[in-house]
Amino acid sequence: MTSLEIGLTSFPVLLLLIFLRVPIGLAMFLVGLFGLYFVTDGWNMALSRLKTETYSTFSSYSLSIVPMFLLMGHFATLGGMSTALFKAAESWLGHKRGGVAMAAVGACAGFGSICGSSLATAATMGQVALPELRRYGYSGGFSTATLAAGGTLGILIPPSVILVIYAILTEQNIAKLFLAAFIPGILAAIGYIITISIYVRIHPDSAGTREPIHYAERFRALADVWPVLLVFLLVVGGIYLGWFTPTEGAAVGAAGTGLIALVNRGLNFSTLIESFLATGRSTAMIFFIVLGAAFYNGFLALTQVPQELAQYVTSLGYSPWVVLAIILSLYLVFGCVMDSLSMILLTVPIFFPIISQLDFGLTFEETAIWFGIIVLIVVEVGLITPPVGMNLFVINSMDRTTPMVETYKAVTYFVASDIVRVIILVAFPSITLFLMRLLN
């Protein structure tokens, strides 16, 4: 077999391992390791690359942003920020039809601005909002679907761990990617709120009602979210004002949320150690997947599969928009069986060379950033798409009384909202690029 044939054969082998429940990081690592053995006819190159790839991957300064954002999310939870966000949103929206669900989405968006992880956002807001949704008579399937969808805002609204990984893979500016994600993130939250409004009109028995709260109480609840606003402005504002780099901004954010948690008496020696351990476990999992992907993608580069595939696609003469539509459709399919980080690490090194050679009427940097946001949104859809839908499992594990099938039925409305948003952002790239162009 030629090197190209070995590279192409690795895809079905990798998918088979994934379907056999082999962890995605380990599957990519093993396929890359044995692929190098067959391509180079021996273990020398494979074992040598094991040493160099490990060092070159984890010596990247940019990767230190990942544990900082994860730790910031843990400290934010300990500081009571998730509860404050939900109470504030509920005080203003709770009396409307479907208002408590809308408040949950708004709180997820706010928490996502200081967390950066979808699963963490879903789990944290699920603990806060799920009891309130059930208290006011919201159906189980609607409640769990709303929180699962709202949790996806954790990776779309900056800061985002997934965007950091994408920036490293494509060598793009992290700050510009964060900036480009703002408007799509806001559109996502608005789209989910509209979806809730439509759902409760189609299924009026799925949501209860509650009495409006006096305006004085609303403003008091709103005042309680100032720590969230302060951390967000400090981190994101500091990055764009040039006070510090994104990595430094993540460290400042973690320190700031830790200080707030300490003042609010949510942080003590025990919870500090617990936060460090939880951050360490999550970081280790992410980094092992990153290593496996780096090893596998290094093997693919040696076989010339990405380059040959890019040349083949461009030689077909298809419209760039058709090629993009096919790639995004593949992401939707992958999202049914894979988690978001694995999809990004596995597919971006293959698809990005193809996209970078197509003409969308944008500069190379604009194309890279626009494609990154589109991919992030489609990956976000995968988090709530059956049968895997990681967010669906996280939320349903908190509500054992709700059958998973009920969550699946309700979440289709949110998936439809996501697909409409993808179509809009694909058709009008300037929506995504507006803020980046404005501040350039």
Side-chain angles (χ1 to χ4, degrees), residues 238-291:
I239 291 172
Y240 295 118
L241 291 174
W243 293 350
F244 31 69
T245 66
T247 306
E248 293 166 348
V252 169
T257 50
L259 182 61
I260 292 169
L262 183 63
V263 171
N264 291 342
R265 299 182 179 180
L267 186 64
N268 52 44
F269 183 77
S270 175
T271 55
L272 177 65
I273 296 300
E274 185 180 332
S275 297
F276 284 159
L277 291 174
T279 299
R281 284 191 293 267
S282 299
T283 302
M285 178 194 69
I286 292 172
F287 278 16
F288 185 73
I289 296 174
V290 169
L291 176 62

Side-chain angles (χ1 to χ4, degrees), residues 79-133:
M81 297 184 190
S82 55
T83 303
L85 282 166
F86 178 71
K87 292 299 181 184
E90 185 189 19
S91 66
W92 287 88
L93 298 172
H95 62 282
K96 299 179 180 295
R97 184 183 293 183
V100 180
M102 295 177 187
V105 168
C108 285
F111 192 75
S113 69
I114 54 171
C115 179
S117 168
S118 175
L119 295 180
T121 300
T124 301
M125 296 312 304
Q127 293 174 348
V128 174
L130 196 55
E132 290 295 302
L133 287 165

